[in-house]
Amino acid sequence: MCAAGGSMFELVFLGTSAAAPSIRRGLSSAMVLHKEYRFLIDCGEGTQRQLLQSGLGFKRLDRILLTHGHLDHILGLGGLMSTFARWESVDRVEIYGGLWPLQRVRALMQVVFGEGEPPIDIQYVELSPGLLMEDETFELSVFPVSHRGPGCYGFAFREKEKRPFLVERAEALGVPAGPERARLVRGEAVTLADGRTVTPDEVLGEAVGGAKLVHVGDAGRTDNLVEVAQGADALVTEATYLDEEADMARKFGHLTAAQAARLAAEAGVRQLILTHISRRYSDKQVLDEARQIFPDTDVARDFDRYRIIKQH
Ligand SMILES: [Zn+2]
Ligand SMILES: [Zn+2]
């Protein structure tokens, strides 16, 4: 395994049950961590306790991404925001979602806080397909997903590739420590005091990094997901049904384990992680169906943690 300079995505499942909780599984929620960033994806009922139990806590939890507006994915925001407003030092939260999901969350916040300004600064950011945010090491983009109801989105986290600076090579070429090195890292050639020119290729190693994590919430079809999932190091998707109940899956806009596995195979991902598991099946039934088609499949359990790293 080749880590990308210590930078990667960490994924923690907080709730992995479909529609209603089970004894072992809470309702939908997961967190993606990258450097100082923390993105909570969905916030089903009971998520705040799952956050505590996972050890993640509430610190720096200021970005919440919503895959869609169904209650099993948003109802936990009522309790979480109420706790933030009363007890925690989180005083500003950005909630990202489609128009309809955000309308439902606003209505929920009105129930929690009443009319007027809530005691916590909640910024509602309406999603649209494309780049949502980026910095020098990663980008987060949004893509449409087909499920029941409007405003359903998935999230693609992509680490930018970077070329490590080879200090010994720079020393050997006589590049002094200082601004010259910074310029080489930025991809610019530099001219040294003695007139020699050093190019970036002489002091930069092979590109590393570039891990890609794709998170799809509830989804009713996969043909529009192949391209966005292409080559992902990890694909997270729902698997609410088995193929024997494909009719039900179609009717309610959900995927079967086999459909999810076929998507993973077609998109050439490295690893498939299934979530949104129905109480009617055992983990083994879901796994068996998916692994027949795509062997590198896991069924996520609450509190499972994954390090998403580019494999070279
Ligand atoms: Zn759901
Ligand atoms: Zn749903």
Side-chain angles (χ1 to χ4, degrees), residues 67-73 147-148 152 217-219 238 252-254 276:
T67 60
H68 65 297
H70 288 155
L71 293 181
D72 58 322
H73 297 254
H147 178 49
R148 300 191 326 275
C152 306
D218 295 7
E238 69 134 304
F252 293 109
H254 284 297
H276 206 268

Side-chain angles (χ1 to χ4, degrees), residues 270-288:
R270 190 164 58 76
Q271 183 182 26
L272 171 66
I273 309 170
L274 299 175
T275 182
H276 206 268
I277 306 300
S278 166
R279 291 185 293 182
R280 67 178 79 204
Y281 310 121
S282 71
D283 289 16
K284 187 173 182 313
Q285 284 176 291
V286 178
L287 264 183
D288 286 350

